[in-house]
Amino acid sequence: MDAIRPTHVEINLGMIAQNYDAIRAHVGVAAVMPVVKTNAYGHGIVEVAQHLMKHGATYFGVALLEEAIVLRQAGIAVPILVFGGVATRQIPQFIAHDLMMTASSIDKLRQIDEAAAAAKTKVRVHLKIDSGMERIGVHWYSAEKLLEASLSFAHVEIAGIYSHLANSDAEDLSSAKEQLARFHEALDFYPKRGLKPPQRHIANSGGILQLPESHLDLVRPGIMLYGVYPSREVKQTVTVKPALSWKSQVVFFKVVQPGNPVSYGGTWRSDHPVRVVTVPVGYGDGYFRALSNRGQVIIRGQQHPIVGRVCMDQFMVNLEWGTAYNSDEVTLIGDSISAQDVADWAGTIPYEVLTNINARVPRVFV
Ligand SMILES: *Cc1c(COP(=O)(O)O)cnc(C)c1O
């Protein structure tokens, strides 16, 4: 720690496990698939997955093949579902690492089946139904052919069928409810044929919190696992607590004279002498430039405003008459400042705040 830069992110793995337990208790019989894509929302994919696996997690969900391979190489042996679409040339890799694929066309199922046959194995696939997000998946109104065909591939086991909610963190749940109804319409295929459906899932954090009827057989919590609610308006029906804080230190203190502009572009100046400190974090770390003249940080228990533009590696904070010394702690996220606060100041969502903290910022696990 002493040898590295005075900026780091602190991750409380125990808190993530506690949030996982709270989600499990809330969803009852539904299985829980922790979503650890994008470096576990900035929290460290390997450390988070290993900790959750020791804690009893039985699945993981990621966006990319590469993320799943990282998990396998770290010794994560439980089923892993990759949410993204599968490129044909990636199929052998999925099979080699025993990963569950997402498929939404007969053509893709055929390709997977052929590759699995060549590898003399059977692979597990989750079918993706588009119930209103228009991202990936077969439309709910034309899913029947795919479901029918999916029964006929000897080397493909349909382990699951899923969809994704576009508005589950909103106050108005009519769109989420409509998506759920459409998903059920597609799922009716199974009882109509007298078949037991594979594992059905649609709930992200918003669905877990606000729509109990969306829990089905499995839920896919992402952001709430990290103790952050998906939006300001979402009902907080499960208590989760943030696991990440972002800390730095004061590296420079000065008095800025009236009229002298601070930082690039000279967008801020004071009409009286002020005490200003410099913090060695910038947009090169993923601390948004949009926080220029808008964001706040905590120094000595007090919130103070960022003044002037956030630079690539540093920004300035106005203490007015406050005091601070070199190497005083600066909190960017943590204590009274939530990821949602930072998101509001920067005009974005907490997801982007967390996933934007890049690899240049050391992670410290506690
Ligand atoms: C990212 C993602 C999730 C998790 O969403 P949260 O809103 O973070 O809970 C769940 N399912 C899929 C398919 C995803 O891509």
Side-chain angles (χ1 to χ4, degrees):
M1 270 301 288
D2 290 339
I4 57 176
R5 58 184 297 202
T7 299
H8 70 277
V9 150
E10 218 170 270
I11 316 286
N12 184 338
L13 292 171
M15 195 59 83
I16 296 174
Q18 209 172 298
N19 295 336
Y20 173 80
D21 287 342
I23 295 164
R24 280 192 59 180
H26 180 72
V27 301
V29 294
V32 178
M33 174 185 281
V35 177
V36 295
K37 62 188 176 186
T38 320
N39 199 25
Y41 291 52
H43 293 65
I45 183 168
V46 167
E47 291 83 357
V48 167
Q50 284 177 337
H51 191 77
L52 283 175
M53 201 173 75
K54 271 188 256 154
H55 196 72
T58 49
Y59 297 93
F60 288 102
V62 292
L64 308 180
L65 169 62
E66 287 83 345
E67 294 170 328
I69 292 174
V70 163
L71 291 179
R72 282 286 183 253
Q73 285 168 348
I76 303 293
V78 298
I80 300 172
L81 174 62
V82 177
F83 300 140
V86 175
T88 305
R89 63 185 168 76
Q90 295 176 320
I91 294 174
Q93 288 267 63
F94 274 95
I95 296 174
H97 293 279
D98 187 23
L99 304 169
M100 298 195 292
M101 278 174 268
T102 295
S104 37
S105 75
I106 297 173
D107 199 43
K108 197 53 60 90
L109 283 178
R110 186 174 300 117
Q111 291 172 11
I112 296 169
D113 185 60
E114 282 166 10
K120 298 190 168 51
T121 185
K122 194 162 178 175
V123 301
R124 279 175 294 179
V125 169
H126 287 236
L127 301 174
K128 183 76 189 276
I129 308 298
D130 187 334
S131 58
M133 173 100 177
E134 300 292 353
R135 192 167 63 177
I136 62 168
V138 62
H139 285 122
W140 79 96
Y141 48 80
S142 43
E144 190 168 340
K145 263 205 206 112
L146 174 70
L147 271 51
E148 181 76 56
S150 75
L151 304 171
S152 63
F153 294 104
H155 300 88
V156 173
E157 177 195 336
I158 304 301
I161 180 166
Y162 74 110
S163 190
H164 191 62
L165 297 168
N167 293 297
S168 60
D169 60 353
E171 205 177 311
D172 177 359
L173 289 171
S174 52
S175 139
K177 286 177 179 163
E178 182 166 25
Q179 278 197 267
L180 182 59
R182 290 164 170 178
F183 186 42
H184 277 298
E185 220 175 281
L187 290 171
D188 280 343
F189 168 85
Y190 294 100
K192 268 196 289 185
R193 305 292 159 109
L195 297 168
K196 186 177 166 307
Q199 204 167 35
R200 306 158 304 157
H201 49 112
I202 190 169
N204 49 8
S205 292
I208 293 167
L209 290 163
Q210 304 205 102
L211 210 59
E213 63 269 39
S214 74
H215 296 171
L216 305 178
D217 302 322
L218 177 145
V219 297
R220 307 188 304 264
I223 197 141
M224 68 183 296
L225 191 64
Y226 307 100
V228 176
Y229 294 97
S231 66
R232 280 246 185 248
E233 61 266 35
V234 79
K235 284 201 243 40
Q236 301 183 358
T237 57
V238 182
T239 302
V240 291
K241 297 197 187 114
L244 176 150
S245 50
W246 193 352
K247 301 270 170 72
S248 187
Q249 287 177 7
V250 171
V251 289
F252 198 71
F253 175 95
K254 73 184 140 240
V255 174
V256 174
Q257 294 303 331
N260 288 354
V262 170
S263 195
Y264 287 118
T267 59
W268 187 87
R269 60 189 81 202
S270 173
D271 60 6
H272 54 280
V274 286
R275 296 167 171 181
V276 168
V277 293
T278 303
V279 181
V281 178
Y283 64 79
D285 297 301
Y287 194 69
F288 296 110
R289 190 167 175 275
L291 294 163
S292 302
N293 293 310
R294 301 186 62 86
Q296 301 195 8
V297 297
I298 302 166
I299 299 172
R300 298 191 159 222
Q302 293 276 323
Q303 258 176 250
H304 296 285
I306 292 169
V307 290
R309 292 214 175 119
V310 172
C311 311
M312 192 184 294
D313 317 297
Q314 308 177 65
F315 64 81
M316 276 63 82
V317 175
N318 177 17
L319 301 181
E320 279 292 334
W321 310 116
T323 7
Y325 290 91
N326 280 347
S327 66
D328 272 358
E329 185 175 86
V330 179
T331 302
L332 286 73
I333 298 177
D335 301 319
S336 60
I337 296 179
S338 65
Q340 179 74 58
D341 291 331
V342 175
D344 291 349
W345 295 328
T348 180
I349 53 173
Y351 294 77
E352 196 185 11
V353 171
L354 295 174
T355 57
N356 213 50
I357 306 172
N358 65 35
R360 202 172 78 159
V361 182
R363 265 67 174 174
V364 176
F365 296 90
V366 296

